[in-house]
Every structure is written in structure tokens, then in C-alpha cells.
């Protein structure tokens, strides 16, 4: 079969979080005395937004890498075109016969593509969804089930290898559901307490944010049909 190539810009969520928090903390510490002397609240808010944008931009630069994904008869290959900052990871090769399931796991700030292996390990790549740059991430997610199984059958023409199927996302696990229903119960308790007692200390704004978050993750729990 002909090799298939996908060019991706992937993000390390841990590197992004750590770098953004460090930069934001350093900037605020260095400018704390100056900010306290500003009497104009609007200017303080503008300065805060500027600091957040700077920390986000530096976080993205330090946590973004370029990779080329190849489908070959030997397996799934992850080839580094540009590694993460201060990173020396080796290229990754995964034989088709040890791939168990795949998962596409979307989120509010990043989407993840996960391959679970029969060895107990898993391969995971993520892409930021905030101001994303165009690449082949969505194409990879869409085409993987079909072509991965074609390559697997090609590698074992005389046998009947099991299909690589869609796995369970984090939001579809029993553990997440238990935590989710616990927060729903807490939200309903606070909501009814606010409705029946306007003096309740819980702000309506906080209830709105919590309700929006629960609604979002409720949609993520919806079971998708396996292919």
C-alpha cells in the first residue's frame, strides 16, 4: 500500500501549563510594585490582559512541536520535524499488530488523539483549539480507522486480525460519570438554596459558570457509536 503522510502541529499540555504559569508569575512579581501605584482600574485590567496574552504566546511557543505521521506497511510512524523546546524525544514507531483501540477526545482548549496498545501503553498527541493553525490533525483522526485496518489486514493477509476499534473517552468512563453527577447534585443544591433564599452567599454569576461547565461536559459524556 502507498504510504500516507500527515503534517501536524501538536501541543504538550503539561509544557504549556507550566510555561504559561511560570511566565505569568514572573511578570506579575516583577511588575507588582508598579501595578500597585496605578490608580486607574481600567489601565490595570488592560495591563493584566496584556500579561495574559504574553504568557499564553510564550507558552504556545515553548510547547508546540511539528511532526509528520506516516502510515507504512510496518506500522504507524511519528517523525519529529521540530521537537519541543529543550526536548530530545526519539521518533516513534508502532506496529499495526499491537494497536488495540483509538480515541478522539475533544475538549474546550485542546483536542487529543489517543492510540491504546495491547502492551498496556498508550500514544497520545494533542492540538490546541484556541487560535489553531491549519494542519492535518482532523484528517488524521478521520482517516485513521479506515486506513489503519487496511494496513493491519495487509500485514497479515492469511489471518483474520481483529479490527482496530474506537475506544472509550475519559468522559465516557464510570469514574468521570460519578464525579460529574456529584457536581450536578451540588449545583442543584446551590441553585435551589439561592432560589428559596435570596440571601444565600452563592453569586448568580458563579452558578451560571458552573451550570455552563456542567452542560458542556454533559455533552461530552454522550456515548458515540463505535466504528
Amino acid at each position: 500500500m502507498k504510504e500516507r503522510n500527515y503534517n501536524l502541529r501538536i501541543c504538550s499540555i503539561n509544557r504549556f501549563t507550566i510555561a504559561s504559569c511560570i511566565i505569568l508569575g514572573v511578570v506579575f512579581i516583577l511588575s507588582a510594585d508598579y501595578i500597585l501605584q496605578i490608580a486607574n482600574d481600567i489601565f490595570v485590567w488592560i495591563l493584566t490582559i496584556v500579561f495574559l496574552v504574553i504568557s499564553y504566546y510564550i507558552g504556545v511557543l515553548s510547547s508546540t512541536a511539528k511532526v509528520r505521521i506516516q502510515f507504512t506497511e510496518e506500522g504507524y510512524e511519528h517523525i519529529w520535524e521540530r521537537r519541543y523546546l529543550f526536548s530530545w524525544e526519539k521518533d516513534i514507531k508502532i506496529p499495526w499488530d499491537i494497536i488495540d483501540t483509538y480515541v478522539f477526545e475533544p475538549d474546550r482548549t485542546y483536542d487529543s488523539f489517543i492510540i491504546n496498545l495491547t502492551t498496556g501503553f498508550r500514544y497520545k498527541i494533542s492540538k490546541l483549539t484556541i487560535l489553531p493553525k491549519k494542519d492535518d490533525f482532523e484528517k488524521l483522526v478521520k482517516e485513521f480507522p479506515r486506513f489503519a485496518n487496511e494496513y493491519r489486514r495487509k500485514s497479515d493477509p492469511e489471518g483474520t486480525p481483529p479490527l482496530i476499534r474506537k475506544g472509550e473517552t475519559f468522559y465516557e468512563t464510570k469514574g468521570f460519570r460519578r464525579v460529574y453527577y456529584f457536581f450536578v447534585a451540588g449545583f442543584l443544591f446551590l441553585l435551589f438554596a439561592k432560589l428559596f433564599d435570596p440571601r444565600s452567599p452563592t453569586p448568580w454569576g458563579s452558578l451560571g459558570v458552573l451550570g455552563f461547565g456542567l452542560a458542556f461536559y454533559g455533552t461530552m459524556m454522550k456515548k458515540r457509536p463505535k466504528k
Side-chain angles (χ1 to χ4, degrees):
M1 290 180 63
K2 181 181 178 181
E3 291 186 358
R4 304 193 67 84
N5 293 277
Y6 305 86
N7 296 304
L8 311 180
R9 289 177 177 267
I10 61 174
C11 174
S12 169
I13 305 304
N14 292 334
R15 285 183 171 86
F16 172 76
T17 302
I18 293 172
S20 298
C21 290
I22 290 176
I23 296 300
L24 188 61
V26 170
V27 169
F28 272 112
I29 290 173
L30 295 178
S31 60
D33 293 338
Y34 174 72
I35 293 176
L36 292 174
Q37 297 175 9
I38 300 175
N40 190 322
D41 291 341
I42 296 179
F43 186 71
V44 172
W45 277 107
I46 293 175
L47 203 59
T48 301
I49 293 173
V50 170
F51 290 163
L52 290 172
V53 171
I54 291 174
S55 64
Y56 170 80
Y57 183 71
I58 295 178
V60 170
L61 287 179
S62 62
S63 63
T64 301
K66 291 183 178 180
V67 301
R68 185 174 79 256
I69 303 299
Q70 285 187 175
F71 291 0
T72 68
E73 293 188 4
E74 288 73 30
Y76 177 105
E77 298 184 5
H78 171 123
I79 302 170
W80 296 101
E81 299 286 349
R82 188 186 72 196
R83 290 172 172 80
Y84 299 117
L85 189 66
F86 306 122
S87 174
W88 295 271
E89 288 100 335
K90 296 181 179 180
D91 293 342
I92 302 170
K93 295 184 179 181
I94 306 175
W96 296 116
D97 61 351
I98 68 169
I99 296 179
D100 186 18
T101 60
Y102 72 94
V103 176
F104 173 59
E105 196 169 86
D107 207 317
R108 288 179 297 176
T109 54
Y110 61 91
D111 293 340
S112 297
F113 177 64
I114 303 167
I115 297 176
N116 296 305
L117 308 180
T118 57
T119 57
F121 291 95
R122 73 172 186 168
Y123 162 90
K124 178 179 179 180
I125 52 176
S126 300
K127 177 181 175 65
L128 276 174
T129 57
I130 303 175
L131 303 176
K133 292 187 177 181
K134 188 175 181 181
D135 64 2
D136 297 330
F137 190 88
E138 292 182 0
K139 184 180 179 182
L140 169 67
V141 172
K142 180 180 179 181
E143 295 185 351
F144 178 83
R146 172 189 168 190
F147 290 111
N149 281 302
E150 288 185 4
Y151 276 100
R152 170 173 275 190
R153 286 191 290 267
K154 179 72 173 180
S155 65
D156 187 14
E158 297 182 358
T160 55
L163 292 177
I164 300 172
R165 299 185 180 276
K166 182 181 181 299
E168 190 175 57
T169 69
F170 169 72
Y171 306 107
E172 295 168 348
T173 61
K174 292 182 179 179
F176 178 80
R177 288 176 180 272
R178 292 192 184 101
V179 173
Y180 176 80
Y181 293 136
F182 172 80
F183 277 100
V184 169
F187 169 74
L188 293 175
F189 174 80
L190 293 174
L191 177 62
F192 284 114
K194 186 69 174 179
L195 290 173
F196 289 105
D197 183 7
R199 294 173 297 177
S200 172
T202 307
W204 282 110
S206 298
L207 287 172
V209 172
L210 181 57
F212 177 80
L214 289 172
F216 173 82
Y217 285 107
T219 62
M220 304 298 291
M221 288 169 52
K222 185 178 179 181
K223 194 73 174 180
R224 297 171 179 83
K226 294 186 178 183
K227 297 181 180 180

